[in-house]
Amino acid sequence: MPGKLYGVGVGPGDPELITLKAKRILEEADCIAVPKTAAGRDSLALSIAEGLLGHRKEIIELQFPMSYDEKLLESSWNSAVASIKGKLDEDRNVAFVTLGDPTVYSTYMYVHKALGQYGYPVEIIPGITSFCASAARVGISLGENRETIAVIPSAYECGNLDDILNSFDNIVLMKISSKFLKLKEKLQELHLQDKAVVVSRCGLDGEMVERNINEVDENSLSYFTTMIIKKNGVG
Amino acid sequence: MPGKLYGVGVGPGDPELITLKAKRILEEADCIAVPKTAAGRDSLALSIAEGLLGHRKEIIELQFPMSYDEKLLESSWNSAVASIKGKLDEDRNVAFVTLGDPTVYSTYMYVHKALGQYGYPVEIIPGITSFCASAARVGISLGENRETIAVIPSAYECGNLDDILNSFDNIVLMKISSKFLKLKEKLQELHLQDKAVVVSRCGLDGEMVERNINEVDENSLSYFTTMIIKKNGVG
């Protein structure tokens, strides 16, 4: 019997926003797989989970460079899959920690699909998404009654963003830091500039909540910045 | 100092999908506010949280009839607000339990807004959404890379659903049971019938996962049924 792979959502930042199930899986796992953007860099997902791990866990560092170069990405996924496969073949269970929820824009899913296709047992443990935590922090709903919600990732090209901004009641824009100025212009154009709230590093050191987008300093925005646009107001 | 109101997301069904923070708040609260659709009916949110409550908690039952009659709804919200306000004025903390996440189509938000406006301290504790848990159960992502996600509530009128189905990569349709046949027709019309998965009662007794919508018996669908449509396939 090979080991099992768990994709564990550790939530957006506050270690108390880990679920009881994620806590149990992290405690029971033999190895913790940790995605990093480069060797030696800290992993935010690991730092959130750290207090739950005890001392004797083996840590497997996986490198996923921030890049759109498909060849580079493919080779990093392949070596991540190979590292985890090695542990599973030694009958060891592996918990792959991932920020937020594993099903929402997480690199984990590549590893999940590949190892699932090889026939290894795989399971996803849901986590609190950054957009739910951000809405909670601000005290607004993401959707009520008949309202629709759109979630738009950072990598999305702004092509038909106008249509989405016009037709949806509530729009979540994820990891907006590099696109903030463009978005600010777009919101002014569509008269939505006072319907937006920006949340940076929700639940982490240096958290920032700003309901006035003119007050946001685009140079100080963290990578972990979410914008929520709510047509009926952000309170 | 008045008491504090917490809106506590207890997740979609499995009590292990409650966060550590929600567990602590439920343990520490003086009163548990429980939304019910009618007097005497069981509360699913309470049954999920029950194992964490101990014995001496006061339970406040709040009735929120399933209705679109605005007068009836308003009067039920007003009496819910009054019941909770009474406890807060006695310096007691109240935890309002809500299925999934409080910011995603939850009745809790009315109470939150009203008591926040009266000046009472209020806080939202995020929960795992049913759509994240459903995607995890099926082993698919809700979004990867540049993909967009739309979340459409049960109460949504099907007006421009075609546009959304055409323009989004991934679409979550919540509480679809009464609309299943209409949706099935729509998916066939748009050649999306093999891109959908239906998940009922995720993490609860009687859970059902079906990737072939022709196999779904619309009469047996629970109220807690989610459909996920994924253009690049549901595996």
Side-chain angles (χ1 to χ4, degrees):
Chain A
M1 271 280 287
K4 183 168 176 178
L5 171 65
Y6 296 91
V8 179
V10 298
D14 177 352
E16 252 201 314
L17 292 184
I18 289 178
T19 67
L20 304 178
K21 185 164 186 179
K23 177 174 184 280
R24 176 173 63 78
I25 299 294
L26 291 170
E27 284 166 352
E28 291 174 1
D30 301 304
C31 312
I32 308 294
V34 179
K36 295 201 168 187
T37 52
R41 288 287 292 271
D42 285 342
S43 156
L44 186 54
L46 181 61
S47 72
I48 294 169
E50 214 144 43
L52 303 172
L53 296 182
H55 289 294
R56 284 174 309 184
K57 296 278 187 233
E58 183 183 352
I59 304 287
I60 315 168
E61 290 200 7
L62 306 171
Q63 279 184 47
F64 295 102
M66 290 216 195
S67 164
Y68 294 120
D69 175 338
E70 294 204 0
K71 269 204 175 149
L72 185 65
L73 288 174
E74 207 177 306
S75 103
S76 67
W77 296 330
N78 289 343
S79 59
V81 168
S83 303
I84 295 171
K85 189 172 172 299
K87 301 300 168 188
L88 300 178
D89 286 336
E90 293 166 10
D91 306 347
R92 309 186 77 191
N93 293 333
V94 177
F96 184 119
V97 290
T98 180
L99 272 179
D101 178 78
T103 74
V104 177
Y105 306 112
S106 162
T107 310
Y108 167 73
M109 291 305 294
Y110 298 98
V111 174
H112 181 89
K113 274 183 270 186
L115 288 161
Q117 275 161 6
Y118 287 146
Y120 292 91
V122 290
E123 184 178 346
I124 298 170
I125 315 296
I128 301 293
T129 61
S130 58
F131 54 81
C132 285
S134 297
R137 176 66 186 75
V138 178
I140 55 175
S141 73
L142 287 168
E144 285 172 51
N145 291 323
R146 294 177 164 78
E147 293 176 5
T148 49
I149 307 170
V151 180
I152 311 298
S154 166
Y156 186 69
E157 296 306 324
C158 285
N160 69 339
L161 190 58
D162 284 45
D163 289 347
I164 296 172
L165 288 170
N166 281 319
S167 61
F168 275 73
D169 301 303
N170 303 302
I171 302 101
V172 172
L173 293 151
M174 298 185 71
K175 295 189 181 155
I176 57 154
S177 55
S178 65
K179 294 186 169 177
F180 177 75
L181 285 183
K182 248 185 175 173
L183 281 172
K184 188 168 139 181
E185 266 176 45
K186 174 82 66 192
L187 294 184
Q188 278 158 344
E189 198 184 300
L190 300 173
H191 305 291
L192 290 171
Q193 70 273 23
D194 57 345
K195 306 292 189 190
V197 60
V198 174
V199 183
S200 237
R201 297 186 60 81
C202 186
L204 294 165
D205 287 350
E207 183 187 74
M208 185 272 287
V209 174
E210 184 53 68
R211 284 183 169 82
N212 181 348
I213 59 168
N214 293 315
E215 293 292 317
V216 173
D217 170 10
E218 64 273 16
N219 298 310
S220 72
L221 283 180
S222 146
Y223 178 70
F224 299 105
T225 301
T226 302
M227 184 187 279
I228 302 173
I229 298 156
K230 233 181 121 59
K231 297 279 177 72
N232 69 9
V234 292
Chain B
M1 271 280 288
K4 182 168 176 177
L5 171 64
Y6 296 90
V8 179
V10 299
D14 177 352
E16 253 201 313
L17 291 184
I18 290 178
T19 67
L20 304 178
K21 184 164 186 179
K23 177 174 184 279
R24 175 173 64 78
I25 299 293
L26 290 169
E27 285 167 353
E28 289 174 3
D30 301 304
C31 313
I32 308 295
V34 179
K36 294 198 168 189
T37 52
R41 288 286 294 269
D42 285 341
S43 156
L44 186 53
L46 181 60
S47 71
I48 293 169
E50 215 145 42
L52 303 173
L53 296 182
H55 290 293
R56 284 172 309 183
K57 295 277 186 232
E58 182 182 353
I59 304 287
I60 317 169
E61 289 200 7
L62 306 172
Q63 279 184 47
F64 296 102
M66 289 216 196
S67 165
Y68 294 118
D69 176 340
E70 294 206 0
K71 269 203 175 152
L72 185 65
L73 288 175
E74 207 177 305
S75 103
S76 67
W77 295 331
N78 288 343
S79 59
V81 168
S83 304
I84 295 172
K85 191 174 170 300
K87 301 299 168 187
L88 299 178
D89 286 336
E90 293 166 11
D91 307 345
R92 309 187 76 193
N93 293 334
V94 177
F96 185 119
V97 289
T98 181
L99 270 178
D101 179 79
T103 73
V104 177
Y105 307 112
S106 163
T107 310
Y108 167 73
M109 290 306 294
Y110 298 99
V111 174
H112 181 89
K113 274 184 269 187
L115 288 161
Q117 275 161 8
Y118 287 147
Y120 292 91
V122 290
E123 183 177 347
I124 298 172
I125 315 295
I128 301 293
T129 62
S130 58
F131 53 82
C132 284
S134 297
R137 176 66 185 78
V138 177
I140 55 175
S141 73
L142 288 169
E144 284 171 53
N145 290 325
R146 294 177 164 77
E147 293 176 4
T148 50
I149 308 169
V151 180
I152 311 298
S154 166
Y156 186 71
E157 297 305 325
C158 285
N160 68 339
L161 189 58
D162 285 44
D163 289 346
I164 296 171
L165 288 171
N166 281 319
S167 61
F168 275 71
D169 301 304
N170 303 301
I171 303 101
V172 173
L173 294 151
M174 298 185 71
K175 295 189 181 153
I176 58 154
S177 55
S178 64
K179 293 186 169 176
F180 177 74
L181 286 183
K182 249 186 175 170
L183 281 173
K184 188 168 138 179
E185 265 175 46
K186 173 82 66 193
L187 294 184
Q188 278 158 345
E189 200 184 301
L190 301 173
H191 307 290
L192 291 170
Q193 69 274 20
D194 58 346
K195 306 291 189 192
V197 59
V198 174
V199 182
S200 237
R201 296 184 62 79
C202 187
L204 295 164
D205 288 349
E207 183 187 72
M208 185 272 286
V209 174
E210 183 54 67
R211 283 183 169 83
N212 180 349
I213 59 168
N214 293 314
E215 292 292 317
V216 173
D217 171 11
E218 63 272 17
N219 298 309
S220 72
L221 283 180
S222 145
Y223 177 70
F224 299 105
T225 300
T226 302
M227 184 186 280
I228 301 172
I229 298 157
K230 230 181 125 57
K231 297 278 178 72
N232 70 8
V234 292

